[in-house]
Amino acid sequence: MLVIGAAVILAAVVITMAAIDLGREKQYVTQLLLEKGAALIKAFEAGTRTGMRGGFGANVRLQHLLEETANQPGIFYIAVTDTGGRILAHNDAKRIGGQLFTPEAMRELAPDATEKWRLATEDDGRESFVVYRRFIPSARGRGLHGFHGHHPPMGDPGFFCTDDCDAPGGQHDLRGMPLVIFVGLDVAPIEAARRVDLQNTLTTAGVLLVLGLGGVLALFWAQSYRAQRRALRQTTALASEVVAAMPAGLLLVAPDGRVTMANGAAENLAGVASGGLVGRPVGEVLPPDILENGEGGERQMDVAISGGAPIALGVAVSAVRTEEGTPVGSLVVLRDLREMRRLEAEIRRREKLAAVGNLAAGVAHEIRNPLSSIRGYAAYFGAKFAPGSEDRQAAEVMVREVDRLNRVISELIEFARPSDIKRRPVRLADLASHAARLTLPDATARGVSVDISGAADGPEVTADPDRLTQALLNLCLNAIQAMQPGGVMTLAAGTAPDGRAFLSVADTGGGIADAERDRIFDPYYTTKPHGTGLGLPIAHKIVAAHGGEIVLTARPDGGTVATVYLPSDNRRHKSGEA
């Protein structure tokens, strides 16, 4: 619509200018013909004055002068009429006495001393430009008819006659009569020139119109091009931001087998700095079979990126083509599955814990009552034997074993019941000190020292101190039992870089094998010759009920660090609360 509107305005301007130019040209032609006719009239009058004075042209008669004057190109006729339009003199003698214009027309023409014009159609159909005014042959004072009362010079008494005045039957002398002179001019050459000018004007207008429209279209296209480039830049910037912010790794591989684009997620997976993948052959970044088996949807596999350790990834490869279908490369999408697999393992572990817990609750309920009876009877019969006798010792062994079974059942019940968390503000430094005091006898018995200097500045959290102490005690006992005499158990507390509070228990034992790390929190799984395998699962359950997690890491110089991460603000997860 903008182009159409501009074209209409431009066309209107060009047409208006052409019309003004044509009107100016017509006015110029009219003025030119009027001046030509006036010049002929004045020249003819000058000729008549010369003839009336004698001398040069003294033998020339009026008719001869008319014929000679009208014989010039572009002149149809020169005629002298009276005020009624009757022809008194004409370059064509045959028309003398005829009527050039009717009396009514002469009254409309109203000739006077000023040159006037009108358009007329001749008998042969040609159009003529007629210039007329009163005929004034005398240059001196003029009477009623434009002449003095004197007679012409005697040398040429018959000059002002329509024909040979000396001939018998000659025309009367025209002196003393009011006369009107008419000059009929041919407008055909002027019209031809006008048509040429019109063609030139129209051609110029057309060229200007085309150039103007071309300019408008060029401006429109330029504006559209700028708008498209601006939109392309915005789209490119948006696409770049989207690609950079995507959690999945993206690699664009050119047809020559080199990486031309890699986002931050792909660089993080490869463990390289920004721009470290661009320009490298794809074989140095990904296994070759990934691109060979592309276009098959996402596949889950362990992939070593840029020579690093294999990690679990979801890999999808798709060909990038232009609108014409020309391939320009391949797009590789790498989705990190490590967290998903960790969550899947956590779900499976929780399902297993739930199943074991339900089973343990039922078994503990059915076994505890008979065990109480067995313990009572064992103590009863043991009291009937003499102290130190084999029977008395056998009864005491039965009592101790029943007590051990009761402890196992208590742990089963503790593990199976919902975690009833009663939160209140508590300092992690106080929890660490309390756990160190409670486990100090066990540590001393095994020859292990306890260091709690790193927990002195532990932050304050909102938690259940009793339940959290139970979890911490299980971690501490597990660490003490994992060390030989001379080992050191270190407790530390503080705030992690992600804002969470942490409480860690480090030992100098033999560490945890990679094969055992995934099963360490499973119930009844233990690497110790004595133990139920429920200490760590119970600790994990308590920490999870607080909205935290337990992370086991290996120490560089040997041993294991168990770190409990807890939310540091008052907005806590409610899972596990009754």
Side-chain angles (χ1 to χ4, degrees), residues 169-531:
Q171 298 296 327
H172 296 288
D173 196 336
L174 300 179
R175 283 184 292 246
M177 297 179 60
L179 303 175
V180 180
I181 183 170
F182 292 88
V183 178
L185 300 175
D186 187 5
V187 298
I190 303 299
E191 289 296 327
R194 282 189 62 195
R195 284 193 293 272
V196 173
D197 290 340
L198 176 61
Q199 293 177 357
N200 293 337
T201 300
L202 293 179
T203 301
T204 303
V207 171
L208 290 176
L209 182 60
V210 171
L211 292 177
L213 289 177
V216 171
L217 289 176
L219 290 175
F220 175 76
W221 286 333
Q223 178 66 22
S224 177
Y225 174 72
R226 287 195 296 268
Q228 290 177 357
R229 287 200 60 182
R230 184 167 57 252
L232 179 60
R233 288 195 297 268
Q234 294 174 351
T235 303
T236 303
L238 178 61
S240 300
E241 290 297 327
V242 171
V243 170
M246 286 186 64
L250 293 181
L251 293 175
L252 183 60
V253 182
D256 61 356
R258 291 187 175 273
V259 177
T260 58
M261 186 275 292
N263 67 347
E267 294 169 346
N268 292 335
L269 289 175
V272 299
S274 177
L277 297 179
V278 177
R280 296 175 58 179
V282 68
E284 298 180 1
V285 180
L286 297 173
D289 59 340
I290 288 182
L291 294 181
E292 294 175 0
N293 300 325
E295 300 291 341
E298 185 179 82
R299 294 168 293 161
Q300 296 186 8
M301 60 181 67
D302 292 336
V303 181
I305 301 179
S306 190
I311 57 177
L313 295 177
V315 182
V317 181
S318 60
V320 181
R321 295 181 174 84
T322 62
E323 295 181 355
E324 294 76 17
T326 304
V328 295
S330 299
L331 182 65
V332 182
V333 181
L334 306 174
R335 190 164 60 93
D336 192 350
L337 301 180
R338 288 175 293 182
E339 181 65 16
M340 185 183 72
R341 289 191 176 181
R342 187 190 69 81
L343 293 176
E344 290 177 350
E346 180 68 15
I347 292 174
R348 288 194 297 269
R349 191 187 64 79
R350 288 177 180 270
E351 291 176 348
K352 184 187 298 183
L353 291 179
V356 172
N358 293 332
L359 177 62
V363 172
H365 179 73
E366 295 296 330
I367 294 179
R368 170 163 281 185
N369 291 335
L371 283 179
S372 298
S373 300
I374 293 173
R375 185 182 187 284
Y377 279 108
Y380 171 75
F381 287 113
K384 293 183 177 294
F385 300 109
S389 64
E390 293 183 1
D391 294 334
R392 181 71 174 261
Q393 292 178 355
E396 291 175 351
V397 169
M398 291 179 62
V399 171
R400 287 198 299 271
E401 289 300 312
V402 169
D403 289 340
R404 187 174 67 83
L405 285 176
N406 273 322
R407 287 196 299 273
V408 171
I409 292 172
S410 297
E411 290 181 349
L412 283 174
I413 295 174
E414 177 68 23
F415 178 75
R417 75 176 183 179
S419 298
D420 186 12
I421 304 299
K422 298 179 180 180
R423 299 179 184 271
R424 61 183 176 86
V426 59
R427 293 181 68 250
L428 294 183
D430 297 338
L431 290 181
S433 299
H434 184 57
R437 287 194 300 271
L438 293 178
T439 57
L440 184 59
D442 294 278
T444 303
R446 293 188 63 90
V448 174
S449 60
V450 179
D451 180 9
I452 62 172
S453 59
D457 297 329
E460 184 177 274
V461 298
T462 303
D464 188 331
D466 296 332
R467 304 285 285 169
L468 205 56
T469 299
Q470 181 182 0
L472 186 58
L473 284 175
N474 288 342
L475 294 176
C476 290
L477 291 174
N478 192 72
I480 292 172
Q481 295 169 5
M483 291 184 288
Q484 298 298 325
V488 178
M489 181 179 70
T490 304
L491 277 73
T495 302
D498 60 1
R500 293 184 297 176
F502 73 88
L503 186 61
S504 65
V505 179
D507 63 63
T508 58
I512 302 175
D514 293 337
E516 299 172 351
R517 191 177 299 275
D518 294 336
R519 301 184 59 191
I520 200 69
F521 291 113
D522 290 347
Y524 303 112
Y525 180 81
T526 180
T527 58
K528 295 175 291 186
H530 302 286

Side-chain angles (χ1 to χ4, degrees), residues 136-153:
I136 310 172
S138 175
R140 291 175 293 179
R142 300 165 185 172
L144 177 64
H145 305 301
F147 304 102
H148 285 284
H150 70 279
H151 295 284

